[in-house]
Amino acid sequence: MQNKNILLGVSGGIAAYKACSLTSKLTQAGANVRVMMTENASEFVSPLTFQALSRNPVYIDTFDEKNPQKIAHIDVADWADIAIIAPATANSIGKLANGIADDMLSTTLLATEADVYIAPAMNVHMYAHPAVIKNMKQLEQWNYYFIEPGSGFLACGYVGKGRLEEPESIIDTVVNHQNSKKIQGPMNGKKVLVSAGPTREQIDPVRFFTNRSSGKMGFAIAEAAAELGAEVTLVTGPVNLETKNTSIKRVDVITSEEMYQAMHDHFDDKDVVIKAAAVADYRPKHTFIEKLKKQSGNWNVEMERTQDILQSLGEIKNKQFLVGFAAETTQPLEYGLKKLQKKNLDAIVINNVSSEGAGFEGDTNIATYVNESLNPEEIPLTTKKEMALKLLELILRDLRDDKL
Ligand code: CTP
């Protein structure tokens, strides 16, 4: 952050108070910070607070031109290396996604060529509204970078997703993302979405169905893609793994339904999507609120089908190179090829999970990679890390062939 010119856009939500701490932390980190507020934001926090914390004048009104030599909004737009909108309200996101420039912040955001980071904060239902989701997806496609809000108690009284990410975390995300852009590698400029781990399907508060997936293969792919210069989003089920490369955007989910939602939320702007997760095919038809007491005799749990996430992505894919995994214990090639075709994939990685050294939990794997040409390519026993690199090499080759 040292000597970086940061434009901090503050729009009108109660989380504007957290932008004060963000301003202070950015300044302490050596950044030059200029704060631009919407009129509504100034109802929550006084501009003087930001002026004192940033030691720079605060901008609100497009027509408040203090220096006749300059046009303030263009000057700030050109000056900024990085723009952060925190908090970003549904309104400010909506305006940016639709090219509306009716105040100083929205006008400056259209004029800037800086990297723009958007940290939303709003009511849980607003955050889930289709209009807001559509606007966020549009902005993601235009390479705006979102810093997802956390879940918890919201000022409006609801508990859920919509709480502005903490200032330290916003700064970490921006720094990591800026650093990842500096990595020169064959996956530079590629946006990769990976899913990993198992899902958990709850029976009651203490019991659930799951499977043996450890998430190691998916995590290895995410880490390797980031090392090769890709911008990586990792959607993971419950696992005991850390994301070592901090540039990876990690989304934690528990159930197959949550994974479905997260994969669809992050799908549109991706170039490569790799579905290494072991998703439950069935879930209990009823989830009991209270712990079930044991009874005499047997217990039958009625199960219903979950959605096939990969297949649903295969149905809507446009530019994405879609890669699935197949975990098989018998006739791997035959079953794997069926999945490739049925789910409309560009490639499939087939694991015979009953072979020694392959499949769940371990640190090694053996796989067969098959693309549209249906020509199987064997990847012999190797570490999951090496396997990840090999798979990405094959995917990059096929991506290039696609464009020829
Ligand atoms: N998959 C998915 N959603 C599901 C089930 C599977 O997205 N509900 C994906 C997995 O992430 C994997 C691929 O589909 O990439 C194949 O998963 P696998 O468990 O091998 O096969 P299934 O399609 O579930 O078929 P079956 O259980 O009949 O072998």
Side-chain angles (χ1 to χ4, degrees), residues 195 275-281 306-310 324-328 339 343:
S195 78
K275 195 121 204 331
V279 187
D281 289 323
T306 58
Q307 297 197 72
D308 191 312
I309 305 169
L310 188 59
F325 269 67
E328 309 294 348
K339 285 175 192 171
K343 301 192 189 198

Side-chain angles (χ1 to χ4, degrees), residues 233-259:
T233 304
L234 171 65
V235 173
T236 177
V239 292
N240 284 320
L241 296 174
E242 305 238 312
T243 25
K244 294 189 197 91
N245 191 318
T246 47
S247 74
I248 295 171
K249 182 170 180 173
R250 174 172 174 163
V251 182
D252 285 280
V253 298
I254 308 263
T255 64
S256 59
E257 201 173 343
E258 287 169 6
M259 187 173 280

Side-chain angles (χ1 to χ4, degrees), residues 172-211:
D172 282 351
T173 309
V174 172
V175 170
N176 291 333
H177 184 251
Q178 289 288 310
N179 287 342
S180 76
K181 285 177 53 170
K182 289 186 202 142
I183 298 172
Q184 290 303 316
M187 296 201 84
N188 259 163
K190 295 268 178 287
K191 291 185 179 181
V192 177
L193 174 62
V194 182
S195 78
T199 62
R200 257 183 212 169
E201 312 299 331
Q202 211 75 30
I203 305 168
D204 69 13
V206 299
R207 303 180 179 98
F208 52 80
F209 286 100
T210 188
N211 58 62

Side-chain angles (χ1 to χ4, degrees), residues 6-60:
I6 313 267
L7 164 64
L8 176 59
V10 182
S11 57
I14 181 61
Y17 80 91
K18 284 194 187 173
C20 301
S21 156
L22 182 57
T23 309
S24 166
K25 287 186 171 22
L26 285 167
T27 312
Q28 285 170 39
N32 310 311
V33 184
R34 293 195 194 174
V35 178
M36 195 173 278
M37 306 173 77
T38 62
E39 285 280 353
N40 289 347
S42 68
E43 296 283 335
F44 290 95
V45 180
S46 156
L48 190 60
T49 308
F50 287 114
Q51 181 177 308
L53 291 167
S54 67
R55 300 200 194 99
N56 273 316
V58 172
Y59 304 87
I60 299 178

Side-chain angles (χ1 to χ4, degrees), residues 50-117:
F50 287 114
Q51 181 177 308
L53 291 167
S54 67
R55 300 200 194 99
N56 273 316
V58 172
Y59 304 87
I60 299 178
D61 179 2
T62 325
F63 302 104
D64 181 15
E65 295 282 7
K66 292 198 170 61
N67 181 350
Q69 306 300 320
K70 290 176 178 167
I71 298 167
H73 66 276
I74 301 298
D75 182 47
V76 180
D78 291 345
W79 166 87
D81 299 315
I82 293 168
I84 305 173
I85 317 174
T89 56
N91 186 44
S92 55
I93 291 170
K95 285 202 286 187
L96 189 55
N98 290 283
I100 295 170
D102 63 353
D103 63 6
M104 187 149 183
L105 180 58
S106 50
T107 312
T108 308
L109 289 170
L110 287 194
T112 191
E113 288 186 330
D115 287 343
V116 180
Y117 295 85

Side-chain angles (χ1 to χ4, degrees), residues 78-79 96 118 133 149 157 290 327 346:
D78 291 345
W79 166 87
L96 189 55
I118 303 175
I133 292 172
E290 305 294 346
D346 297 285

